[in-house]
Amino acid sequence: MASRSIATTTKKLTSDFSSRAWPRGSRIACTPRHALSTKVTDPKLASIEALKVNKHRLMETLHKTCEWGMGRRWGSGPYAIGMSRLALSDADKQARDWFVETTSSLGCDVKIDAMGNIFAVRPGRQGGLATFAGSHLDTQPSGGRYDGILGILAGIEMLRVLKDHHVETEFPVGVVNWTNEEGARFPISMVSSGVWAGEIPLETAHNLREVGGGAATMRSELERIGYLGSVPASHESTPMAAHFELHIEQGPILEAERQKVGVVEGVQAYRWFTVEVTGRDAHTGTTPLANRADAMLLAARLITHSHRLATRHSALASTGILTVAPGSTNTIPGHVSFSLDVRAPADSTVDAMEADLKKDFAALAAGENVGDLMRGATPSSVPLEVSWRTDSVSPAIRFHGDCIAAVRASARAVTGDGKLVRDMRSGAGHDSVYTSRHCPTGMIFVPSTNGISHNPEEYTTPDDCAIGAEVLMQSVLRFDRMRASD
């Protein structure tokens, strides 16, 4: 979304968070009349800045909820254990149940849509659309404790602080947990926010099968764990006034520059492909090199070439899944399938990468010596075939100016030093990409130790987690005040 005013955005939408729409039980708690309101005339925003998160409570809750879906231990400390909480698993159900119970106890109305997205909304002085803090509770199969999880737990901490101080916001505020953001179990990342945005058909999402050859689909698992909601998964059924997301950086920049907060201005473009290489099975001991149609050898050249093209285009290219058949030591592989993830700041760069990759992959399959990759090898007289499937497309986006301004002002207020804050662009995709299609959206980054993520050793210090949570809370409250002043 470009720069539509908040007033224009919110006037076009209406919301009904009544309990009639909820597919499962919820509890409505009344928030007492406020001792502190976001609707004040203080130009220094002292009332908002006086609110502080409870760092100990935030971290204690984060680690407690990480008992559901623990992964590999990587160190000797009590929390040196990674996460393996795949979407819609039994562990994910436990985390979801906790989220529903906790937000209900904090005075939120809760509803669940047809993709299992959970929307918890705390009433405001007025009715209208809620300003959300959102992220995800699912993890990679060998992930850490902070990717996505920190954003949800910071949203919970925001609700707790508001309750502790009897704060009444002008409009509703809430927290949303998006389903299967990682795309690790069901292979479309951010799929449920994509359905909400109208970019991914519900049927496509529901029919996604789990990776690894299992029979489970998203729909069957939503039904199994009790999170197939009756509310349509769409921005029309559950519109938002705004969406703010706190996330670890997942890269090295903030730590290297000794800065504390990244004000995310937008997200780079990316596309996911599946590449199929078809050759011919043959015996490894009786087939001369010149007579082989070795699908694995060609796949290795294609992956190497994707790296070279990425370097040439100042882009990124990665392969994370490789499937080889028939999978026998003494059989030359006749079929290989591999994933290809291509990213760049501009859509035009990804377009150019895709065009060059397809042209050069076809040439390499025909036996041409593209990029001198055949140097020193035996040419084969048997051609191979390469086919492509586009699995996911996410264009580059820029976040809403009002949300960027709210995050920037909050980051400077929390850190007390503008030098500790920097503007950034996200290299990874997030649910905020899809929310930005239909409501003002902003993101906040906090440092990742050694730039590590999607790894059990992923780590962000408690101090940095608390700073990020406080920036998130202030951003939501500043936006609420901006809406009230329009």
Side-chain angles (χ1 to χ4, degrees), residues 6-252:
I6 298 166
T8 302
T9 303
T10 56
K11 284 177 182 175
K12 287 186 177 178
L13 300 172
T14 57
S15 177
D16 177 14
F17 283 99
S18 67
S19 58
R20 296 193 304 270
W22 306 340
R24 47 188 286 144
S26 62
R27 173 178 160 194
I28 305 174
C30 295
T31 304
R33 277 291 167 183
H34 61 289
L36 172 67
S37 171
T38 62
K39 187 177 182 182
V40 297
T41 57
D42 181 358
K44 296 181 180 179
L45 302 174
S47 60
I48 288 177
E49 294 171 13
L51 290 172
K52 303 296 180 184
V53 303
N54 184 324
K55 178 175 71 174
H56 174 75
R57 179 173 63 189
L58 170 67
M59 300 313 298
E60 182 180 53
T61 307
L62 185 147
H63 293 306
K64 180 66 177 176
T65 61
C66 283
E67 292 177 3
W68 302 310
M70 289 192 295
R72 176 171 63 84
R73 175 172 284 280
W74 58 270
S76 58
Y79 306 127
I81 304 172
M83 293 297 294
S84 183
R85 189 161 67 207
L86 295 178
L88 309 184
S89 62
D90 291 342
D92 188 33
K93 172 180 166 50
Q94 290 178 293
R96 286 165 167 268
D97 290 347
W98 171 85
F99 178 88
V100 171
E101 292 165 9
T102 301
T103 55
S104 295
S105 73
L106 291 169
C108 291
D109 304 345
V110 178
K111 73 175 185 178
I112 302 162
D113 72 14
M115 285 302 298
N117 299 318
I118 310 172
F119 302 87
V121 177
R122 183 181 189 267
R125 188 204 304 264
Q126 302 183 44
L129 305 185
T131 298
F132 281 91
S135 203
H136 58 96
L137 287 167
D138 68 306
T139 77
Q140 289 287 324
S142 183
R145 294 178 165 233
Y146 302 88
D147 175 0
I149 298 171
L150 175 60
I152 293 291
L153 272 293
I156 298 289
E157 177 61 19
M158 173 187 74
L159 296 176
R160 285 174 167 167
V161 172
L162 296 180
K163 184 176 181 180
D164 289 345
H165 296 279
H166 309 299
V167 176
E168 185 181 57
T169 54
E170 193 64 30
F171 296 96
V173 298
V175 184
V176 53
N177 172 49
W178 299 103
T179 301
N180 193 58
E181 187 274 352
E182 294 289 356
R185 185 181 183 193
F186 301 100
I188 297 180
S189 66
M190 305 154 0
V191 63
S192 298
S193 56
V195 173
W196 175 89
E199 302 284 335
I200 299 172
L202 178 66
E203 184 178 5
T204 298
H206 274 177
N207 289 335
L208 281 175
R209 290 194 176 275
E210 61 184 344
V211 299
T217 64
M218 284 204 76
R219 182 182 175 89
S220 71
E221 288 296 89
L222 284 165
E223 290 177 329
R224 184 183 70 83
I225 68 169
Y227 278 88
L228 180 64
S230 59
V231 176
S234 75
H235 60 91
E236 289 98 348
S237 295
T238 311
M240 300 182 179
H243 183 272
F244 289 89
E245 184 170 7
L246 168 64
H247 210 280
I248 58 172
E249 180 194 350
Q250 302 182 285

Side-chain angles (χ1 to χ4, degrees), residues 462-480:
D463 284 347
D464 288 341
C465 289
I467 288 171
E470 210 153 283
V471 173
L472 175 69
M473 178 173 63
Q474 283 198 22
S475 298
V476 170
L477 297 180
R478 286 172 193 272
F479 193 88
D480 180 69

Side-chain angles (χ1 to χ4, degrees), residues 3 6 26 70 73 131 133 151 171-172 233 261 271 283 321 323 325 333 394 407 432 434 436 459 468 478 482 484:
S3 58
I6 298 166
S26 62
M70 289 192 295
R73 175 172 284 280
T131 298
F171 296 96
V261 180
R271 287 176 207 166
H283 197 294
I321 299 174
T323 305
S394 182
V407 171
S432 289
Y434 282 121
S436 71
Y459 182 71
R478 286 172 193 272
M482 290 165 62

